[in-house]
Amino acid sequence: MRQTLIAGNWKMNMTTAEAENFADELLKLNPKKNGEVLICPPFTDLYALGKKLAGSGIKLGAQNVFAEDSGAYTGEISPAMLLDLGVEYVIIGHSERRQIFNESNELINKKLLKLQEKNLKPILCIGETLEEREAGREYDLVKSQLSACLKDVNANKLKDLVIAYEPIWAIGTGRSASANDAEAICKFIRQELEKNFGDLAKEIRILYGGSVKPATINDIIAKENIDGALVGGASLKAADFAKLVAYEV
Ligand code: PEP
């Protein structure tokens, strides 16, 4: 049985003071938590948020990482730096990193292998553009992203891998995929994983991301092949995030 995961991706939002206020508010609301709960703030909030959330059961994630241990990589953050701050999960391959910062499947694959080596848990984002969907290419696209990003993956660490299916046309647009559409692709992703990794694939969690809101979480999470959600906008308000983590099935 796979544990669900509700992960908030704050993107480039929240000063440290704002992050601390969010944590105070969320802890006060004390929502019922189903499965694992994760917040991925900007790097600059990790230390303060980690202190606030200590003992709450709410975990810390990062939004990015570099694929090297240390050295002359100005502006980058290493896996060891994240581990030092209590980070457990790292988002890689988010469509904003692919589109705005030109990250390739090859680089994302390097990051994934480095995270596995350092025992950090990758949340690998994949998903098609509107153009690709309208051309009926969403399945091909997702398949090729999966195979390129998972090249040479360590099969012994697959249980720590999370895939986030995030159709780009649904991110930050308010236009969510229907629960049935999301389930169809997530089922296909699981079948692809099973083709490559056999029964080990049953342990890999698949999240849906793209304008998930408190009003839509229950339908999404009820689907057989969807094990949680990666949430941007609706993770920025403690009251909304509290409702998301207390989803009901
Ligand atoms: C995301 O940033 O991964 C995301 C899904 O954003 P939103 O929920 O705002 O669409």
Side-chain angles (χ1 to χ4, degrees), residues 7-11 91 94-96 125 164-168 170-175 208-213 229-236:
N9 172 17
W10 284 0
K11 312 192 188 198
I91 298 171
H94 192 281
S95 61
E96 287 150 18
C125 300
Y165 167 60
E166 298 207 309
I168 295 168
I171 298 179
T173 58
R175 180 180 166 190
Y208 166 74
S211 298
V212 173
K213 304 277 182 267
L230 181 56
V231 185
S235 72
L236 289 169

Side-chain angles (χ1 to χ4, degrees), residues 64-68 73 76-77 90-94 96-115 122 124-125 145 147-151:
N64 190 20
V65 69
F66 196 54
E68 299 290 341
Y73 304 104
E76 293 297 324
I77 298 287
V90 183
I91 298 171
I92 51 172
H94 192 281
E96 287 150 18
R97 302 246 22 122
R98 292 176 187 264
Q99 294 194 311
I100 304 169
F101 302 100
N102 294 320
E103 288 199 11
S104 63
N105 284 328
E106 196 188 4
L107 176 63
I108 295 160
N109 173 247
K110 278 193 190 143
K111 292 183 177 189
L112 191 143
L113 299 183
K114 180 56 77 179
L115 290 175
L124 169 65
C125 300
Q145 283 181 329
S147 81
C149 295
L150 296 181
K151 188 167 170 274

Side-chain angles (χ1 to χ4, degrees), residues 128-135 168-169 175:
E128 80 285 356
T129 61
L130 186 57
E131 233 179 13
E132 286 156 347
R133 173 158 284 241
E134 283 174 348
I168 295 168
W169 47 270
R175 180 180 166 190

